[in-house]
Amino acid sequence: MKITKLMNPLKGEIELPSDKSISHRAVMFGSIAKGKTIIHRLLLSADVKTTLSAFQKMGVKMKFVGDDLEIEGSNFHLTQPRTSLDFGNSGTTARLLMGILASQNFETHLVGDESLLKRPMNRVAIPLSLMGADVRAQGSQATLPVTIKGGHLNPINYEIPVASAQVKTSLIFAALRAQGKSHFIEQLQTRDHTERMLPLFGGKIEVKDLEIKVSGPQNLFGTTLTVPGDFSSASFWIVATLIVPGSELLLKKVGVNPTRTGLLDIVKTMGAKIELLNFDHSHETADIHVTYTGDLRGIEISGELIPRCIDELPILSLLATQATGETVIKNAKELRFKESDRISSVTSLLKSMGADITPYEDGMIIVGKTDLSSSEVEANKDHRLMMTAVIAGLIAENGNNLPDNIEEIISTSYPTFFEDLRKICQ
Ligand code: S3P
């Protein structure tokens, strides 16, 4: 596929697809709760379909009624799947489900695609084993294929060594079925969708700053919930507006949970014109209005900001190529463990387009402003890298040549990405 340089600004509005992290959690909570859960506006991306299919293979009944998904919860009584569970590209499905399988009294074999097979699972395998699950995996990183056999779980006191909402959530799921009170400490605040959703299902959790306590065993009860628009998906359009001269976009009903919106703080500090309108407190959404000004400066992105923008760092790196001066991204080693090693893959993408970018062990330094040139973008199973390549193509002399299966890769999180792009191109 060829993306050509835009001659006109981006204009109009987009209603964002629903949040991927929240959609996974809604399906998981609905599947382990007792009774019916109704989910409005579930994201039907490839990753979320992976989660749906895993629970169906474990006996959970679900059906669409109009646009709503209705789940008949299993009350934590899943059944052993007849075949391996294939998690495709979805690290969230793999890590979160391991926390649920840790309490299920049967053995399950877990596999994934070539990208997922490289991603470390020891971050969940170690604490889940300490709680009593039997987890067998590959090598020191405990990569997939994994075999997990659950059963009786003990509570634990555990300082989570990486800033990861996936690990935190996996452990909360396990703690809900342990005999006693578990106590977790995060290093830095990560997205808190699980802590917020658990009480909607009747669950109890104590959260104070970076400490979390969960008593088990607990039962959960089905509920009705609506998934907000995905801030991470909105970020591609925010950056596109900030780099395509004359652009102005309204992004509607975007989830603005502060544990996710580090990019807003970052682009404001860089000098962007961006405002939140129509804040809806009950759903924690707002419309984001963003306008091109062309006058951005490089900044440092580090410390507690990193977990608040971890998925946005590829597209922020592109933005940094269009800001004057140096942008320093550090304390972001976690980027190496995503759908690709995003320090390497972002560096080679932007370098191939002429950017001044230097990779480090835990980040990158990008010096702007650089006129980007066209590139033959290499195929990569990383949806966020591929969306970054598309947006970069919009400002590159002669555009970008993209891999043929790019729509399929992007459908991991944003199945209507190209439709939305066409809508705002004039
Ligand atoms: C996610 C947490 C983050 C994020 C991922 C989704 C989640 O991963 O990068 O896209 O839904 O909990 P980590 O927990 O590995 O940081």
Side-chain angles (χ1 to χ4, degrees), residues 20-21 25 92 95 123 163-167 191 310-311 334 338 384:
K20 179 159 85 69
S21 289
R25 285 159 172 79
T92 310
R95 299 204 179 104
R123 49 186 61 202
S164 163
Q166 292 180 354
V167 175
R191 63 191 69 191
I310 189 74
D311 288 344
E334 274 298 300
K338 298 297 175 189
R384 297 194 203 283

Side-chain angles (χ1 to χ4, degrees), residues 280-298:
D280 171 349
H281 287 273
S282 59
H283 297 108
E284 209 169 21
T285 58
D287 298 342
I288 301 177
H289 181 236
V290 52
T291 313
Y292 175 87
T293 58
D295 192 14
L296 301 178
R297 54 191 172 272

Side-chain angles (χ1 to χ4, degrees), residues 3 7 46 53 63 66 80 91 102 128 132 137 167 213 224 275 283 301 304 307 396:
I3 282 284
M7 292 305 155
S53 137
K63 61 172 194 260
Q80 184 174 25
L128 293 175
V167 175
K213 292 175 188 164
T224 297
E275 54 189 345
H283 297 108
I301 304 170
E304 61 87 31

Side-chain angles (χ1 to χ4, degrees), residues 19-22 24-25 92 95-96 119 123 163-169 190-191 193-194 232 260 307 310-311 334 337-339 342 383-384:
D19 189 281
K20 179 159 85 69
S21 289
I22 297 177
H24 278 299
R25 285 159 172 79
T92 310
R95 299 204 179 104
L96 271 54
R119 298 180 67 186
R123 49 186 61 202
S164 163
Q166 292 180 354
V167 175
K168 171 174 67 174
T169 303
T190 62
R191 63 191 69 191
H193 304 308
T194 309
S232 298
R260 290 285 294 282
I310 189 74
D311 288 344
E334 274 298 300
F337 309 113
K338 298 297 175 189
E339 286 83 336
R342 285 184 178 156
H383 52 129
R384 297 194 203 283

Side-chain angles (χ1 to χ4, degrees), residues 22 40 71 84 206 233 320 337 391 395:
I22 297 177
H40 302 302
I71 303 178
S84 300
E206 296 166 55
S233 299
F337 309 113
I391 304 295
I395 58 164

Side-chain angles (χ1 to χ4, degrees), residues 85-154:
L85 295 182
D86 187 344
F87 295 148
N89 193 248
S90 181
T92 310
T93 311
R95 299 204 179 104
L96 271 54
L97 249 177
M98 282 170 73
I100 293 174
L101 291 170
S103 68
Q104 301 296 304
N105 199 6
F106 53 76
E107 191 172 279
T108 319
H109 189 62
L110 315 175
V111 296
D113 73 6
E114 69 195 79
S115 150
L116 190 57
L117 289 181
K118 292 190 195 129
R119 298 180 67 186
M121 295 296 148
N122 51 351
R123 49 186 61 202
V124 287
I126 291 169
L128 293 175
S129 303
L130 289 172
M131 293 177 83
D134 177 11
V135 186
R136 275 162 284 145
Q138 316 302 312
S140 61
Q141 306 254 49
T143 48
L144 296 178
V146 162
T147 302
I148 178 165
K149 163 103 174 43
H152 176 89
L153 294 180
N154 299 310

